[in-house]
Amino acid sequence: MVLVDEHGEKDGGIMVDFRGKPVDKSRTGGWLAAGLILGTELSERICVMGISMNMVTYLVGDLHLSSAKSANIVTNFMGTLNLLGLLGGFLADAKLGRYLTVAISASIAALGVTLLTLATTIPSMRPPPCQNSRKQQCMEASGRQLAMLYAALYTIAVGGGGIKSNVSGFGSDQFDTSNPKEEKAMIYFFNRFYFCISLGSLFAVTVLVYIQDNVGRGWGYGISAGTMIIAVMILVCGTRLYRFRRPQGSPLTVIWRVLYSAWNKRSLSYPPLPTMLNEYYSATLPHTGKLRCLDKAAILDDNGIANGTKDNAAVVSTVTQVEEVKMVLMLLPIWSTCILFWTVYSQMNTFTIEQATFMNRKVGSFEIPAGSFSFFLFITILLFTSLNERILVPVARKITHTVQGITSLQRVGVGLAFSIIGMVAAALVEKRRREHFVHENVKIAAFWLVPQFFLVGAGEAFAYVGQLEFFIREAPERMKSMSTGLFLCTLSMGYFVSSLLVSLVDKATNGRWLMSNLNKGKLENFYWMLAVLGVLNFFVFLGFATRHQYKVQNYVVPENGGEEGLKQQNQDMSDDADKVKVAIATEEP
């Protein structure tokens, strides 16, 4: 929960207006300011989802690239975008503040989508048309033709990363949680923020994808560019209405200092007693024996004490800082097992869309664009998110007699299981699709893809919330802002691992599995491989999860506590619940 102290400071940062003076709450913040900020996130969703869910069809059909290379271009783009969210968060925390970071990032994203519009419109940026773009004799796009496309995509990635990591936090800054009315409004803000994410995604995979396929890529991306430019103008026009929080420094700096100091002091001997470490008795976290090598960062050597001209924190860390870094590093085993879920998820953006292009997509006389089948993915995510909140969690609470009902790691485990089943379904459908075409020359209905969208979407509803809740609740109190960054890294690494696997499989099979003409390939074998890797990853996850000790123990209703005990536990969990809502609103892959 965001805290406001008696001096009007929010999370340690003074809230000011655009002139740098203490805010006049009657003239700044509130729904008007937050609504203007929501427009930026809506535009970002329209741009990114409109690109990621339909770019592979352009790369294969118009630029005549192989399916493997096309998939890698999309996954590398999405991986970079999510990874750059860390950079955007760091710049906002350390120097620029959220408003400037969002405004600059949105402007960069607008430039990127404009470049993409030009790259897909100018005839010289495409190879000569080919009657059958699925055959290898078609001329592929040259490096010069791809250069502008890459420049556009990675410009969008820079801008999208900055928006993604800051816009929800900037929106929440417009509400004062010391005021009960504004605190209640902030909860509605996150609900509406999530609604904007879903609305933008659904618009992108239906209306925008249809325009791209049936009217023209230039028109589709041009609408995205225009939307983002308008969003930037609206954001800037509302400058006088916003409440700003001054940058207070990034927790990444603390982590870097501890690791750097521990490495520099690796040759020093441990002190006889841990009480001799820097600020041992004033530490806000108890000293632990885990990852003992990091304790050397808190050793008080002569150089650290004698040099009074330097900031001592840069020379020697405190026990609190060391223990905070230990807590972050202890999250990495679970973090590593979450990556493969997003590797599976990335297939919904690439090969599954490519499958749809080889299937019967007609409903009457209307042909559904291949990219629009992602509609079933987002609908399933929204459906299971609602079911979790309204049915599954309340039932689990009654069974387990805990307020959580389902722990964060249990959610992640369910999500991983769904992703494995999703890949099995994808493999079976692809085998059926290819055999029907090869042996009977029949295109089966593209609605056969719905099960894999459904299963992976259901998995995301569990894994997405579970991962966020885990990172938020288990991270150090002063490093809560890093929780979204850790989550974005799992998305990023998932997309990059997908690119790596596709490249390795394509090379190992001499292109026989992942051919541009899927009717001649063996895409189902790639899906089976992901399912097997998912099973192995699931058992590794179980090993880490069963050994993990939660920082906050499960809240069990006392036998004699009755209703009052449950009420107190709900009160104790309110801070964590608010933080989860903030993070859930921050990112929708």
Side-chain angles (χ1 to χ4, degrees):
M1 181 178 293
V2 183
L3 301 177
V4 180
D5 64 23
E6 60 185 358
H7 301 293
E9 296 186 3
K10 186 178 182 179
D11 286 345
I14 299 176
M15 302 303 293
V16 297
D17 61 16
F18 75 103
R19 294 189 181 91
K21 298 180 180 179
V23 294
D24 181 351
K25 295 179 182 178
S26 65
R27 298 184 178 182
T28 60
W31 274 116
L32 179 57
L36 299 178
I37 297 168
L38 283 176
T40 306
E41 176 59 21
L42 177 64
S43 299
E44 187 268 342
R45 284 294 85 193
I46 290 174
C47 291
V48 173
M49 299 311 298
I51 294 169
S52 64
M53 289 298 179
N54 203 37
M55 176 57 70
V56 69
T57 61
Y58 174 76
L59 297 174
V60 173
D62 291 73
L63 300 189
H64 311 152
L65 303 180
S66 68
S67 292
K69 186 173 182 179
S70 300
N72 283 354
I73 289 174
V74 174
T75 51
N76 286 338
F77 161 68
M78 292 298 294
T80 302
L81 188 148
N82 285 289
L83 187 63
L84 289 174
L86 281 176
L87 176 62
F90 175 81
L91 291 176
D93 289 343
K95 188 68 176 178
L96 297 179
R98 287 170 174 166
Y99 169 73
L100 273 180
T101 305
V102 171
I104 293 172
S105 298
S107 301
I108 293 174
L111 173 62
V113 185
T114 302
L115 289 175
L116 184 63
T117 303
L118 295 175
T120 55
T121 303
I122 300 174
S124 61
M125 291 294 102
R126 298 189 300 272
C130 185
Q131 291 183 350
N132 190 343
S133 60
R134 305 295 178 183
K135 294 183 178 180
Q136 293 184 353
Q137 61 261 31
C138 295
M139 182 182 296
E140 287 191 3
S142 65
R144 182 185 64 82
Q145 291 171 327
L146 289 174
M148 189 172 182
L149 179 71
Y150 287 144
L153 289 177
Y154 287 99
T155 300
I156 295 170
V158 172
I163 295 172
K164 189 182 297 292
S165 56
N166 292 288
V167 69
S168 65
F170 184 44
S172 69
D173 286 341
Q174 309 311 309
F175 301 95
D176 179 7
T177 53
S178 65
N179 183 319
K181 184 177 180 180
E182 289 199 21
E183 182 180 16
K184 183 178 180 180
M186 187 176 72
I187 300 300
Y188 285 112
F189 166 77
F190 292 124
N191 292 335
R192 293 172 189 181
F193 192 98
Y194 193 81
F195 177 79
C196 281
I197 289 174
S198 304
L199 184 64
S201 298
L202 289 174
F203 176 82
V205 301
T206 52
V207 177
L208 210 56
V209 166
Y210 178 82
I211 293 174
Q212 291 170 6
D213 284 357
N214 294 278
V215 180
R217 292 279 170 170
W219 283 102
Y221 296 135
I223 291 173
S224 296
T227 302
M228 184 57 73
I229 291 171
I230 292 172
V232 173
M233 294 173 62
I234 292 175
L235 179 72
V236 173
C237 288
T239 301
R240 292 175 177 268
L241 301 174
Y242 302 139
R243 298 172 186 173
F244 304 87
R245 185 173 66 170
R246 290 172 177 167
Q248 298 296 307
S250 173
L252 290 174
T253 305
V254 175
I255 295 177
W256 164 249
R257 284 179 174 178
V258 169
L259 296 177
Y260 180 76
S261 180
W263 174 257
N264 277 347
K265 297 180 180 181
R266 63 188 183 279
S267 59
L268 297 180
S269 301
Y270 290 102
L273 297 172
T275 55
M276 300 176 67
L277 296 173
N278 186 32
E279 297 188 16
Y280 177 87
Y281 291 105
S282 60
T284 57
L285 291 173
H287 176 265
T288 64
K290 298 178 180 179
L291 299 174
R292 191 165 176 252
C293 58
L294 296 181
D295 287 344
K296 291 191 176 184
I299 295 177
L300 290 166
D301 59 343
D302 293 337
N303 182 48
I305 297 174
N307 192 349
T309 61
K310 292 184 178 180
D311 179 12
N312 194 52
V315 180
V316 59
S317 302
T318 66
V319 169
T320 297
Q321 292 171 337
V322 170
E323 292 302 321
E324 287 175 337
V325 174
K326 287 182 181 180
M327 291 174 68
V328 172
L329 295 180
M330 293 299 290
L331 301 179
L332 295 184
I334 297 294
W335 175 87
S336 65
T337 57
C338 294
I339 292 173
L340 195 65
F341 175 85
W342 300 108
T343 299
V344 170
Y345 180 89
S346 68
Q347 309 315 311
M348 301 300 103
N349 300 13
T350 53
F351 287 122
T352 300
I353 303 299
E354 184 67 5
Q355 280 179 277
T357 64
F358 286 86
M359 303 172 79
N360 182 7
R361 294 177 278 119
K362 289 187 176 180
V363 177
S365 60
F366 177 73
E367 187 174 54
I368 303 174
S372 293
F373 278 86
S374 301
F375 170 84
F376 295 103
L377 178 70
F378 295 114
I379 285 296
T380 303
I381 292 169
L382 292 176
L383 173 63
F384 271 84
T385 300
S386 300
L387 289 176
N388 285 341
E389 181 180 348
R390 298 177 180 273
I391 299 177
L392 298 181
V393 172
V395 171
R397 284 173 177 168
K398 292 180 180 180
I399 296 175
T400 63
H401 301 291
T402 63
V403 174
Q404 276 183 289
I406 305 175
T407 68
S408 56
L409 291 182
Q410 287 172 344
R411 291 176 188 268
V412 175
V414 172
L416 292 177
F418 267 117
S419 70
I420 296 169
I421 301 172
M423 286 298 94
V424 172
L428 294 174
V429 169
E430 173 59 15
K431 183 178 180 180
R432 176 185 175 87
R433 182 205 65 77
R434 188 171 54 81
E435 288 180 348
H436 272 67
F437 184 85
V438 172
H439 299 303
E440 303 175 21
N441 197 28
V442 173
K443 289 185 177 181
I444 66 173
F447 289 100
W448 278 96
L449 297 174
V450 172
Q452 61 204 67
F453 279 122
F454 177 84
L455 289 165
V456 175
E460 185 187 345
F462 283 97
Y464 182 80
V465 176
Q467 289 176 36
L468 281 170
E469 182 181 2
F470 176 77
F471 291 131
I472 287 172
R473 295 187 64 189
E474 300 303 299
E477 290 299 323
R478 293 198 307 168
M479 295 186 177
K480 294 295 184 182
S481 61
M482 286 189 58
S483 58
T484 302
L486 284 172
F487 176 69
L488 290 176
C489 277
T490 62
L491 270 74
S492 175
M493 294 303 297
Y495 283 110
F496 286 137
V497 168
S498 176
S499 296
L500 177 63
L501 288 177
V502 168
S503 297
L504 292 177
V505 167
D506 196 47
K507 185 175 182 180
T509 63
N510 293 321
R512 290 192 298 270
W513 283 14
L514 307 176
M515 298 181 68
S516 296
N517 187 342
L518 296 185
N519 294 325
K520 298 181 179 180
K522 292 282 187 179
L523 178 60
E524 67 269 20
N525 289 348
F526 182 70
Y527 286 146
W528 283 120
M529 184 192 73
L530 287 177
V532 172
L533 290 176
V535 171
L536 297 176
N537 180 73
F538 182 75
F539 284 113
V540 174
F541 166 80
L542 287 181
F544 288 141
T546 53
R547 289 174 174 79
H548 180 79
Q549 295 181 349
Y550 285 100
K551 185 183 72 172
V552 181
Q553 298 298 321
N554 291 339
Y555 295 82
V556 181
V557 179
E559 294 182 3
N560 299 325
E563 184 177 348
E564 290 300 320
L566 183 59
K567 185 184 296 183
Q568 180 60 45
Q569 291 169 15
N570 277 301
Q571 180 64 35
D572 293 340
M573 292 187 68
S574 62
D575 286 357
D576 286 329
D578 284 347
K579 290 165 185 172
V580 171
K581 289 173 183 175
V582 172
I584 288 176
T586 302
E587 162 61 17
E588 170 70 18

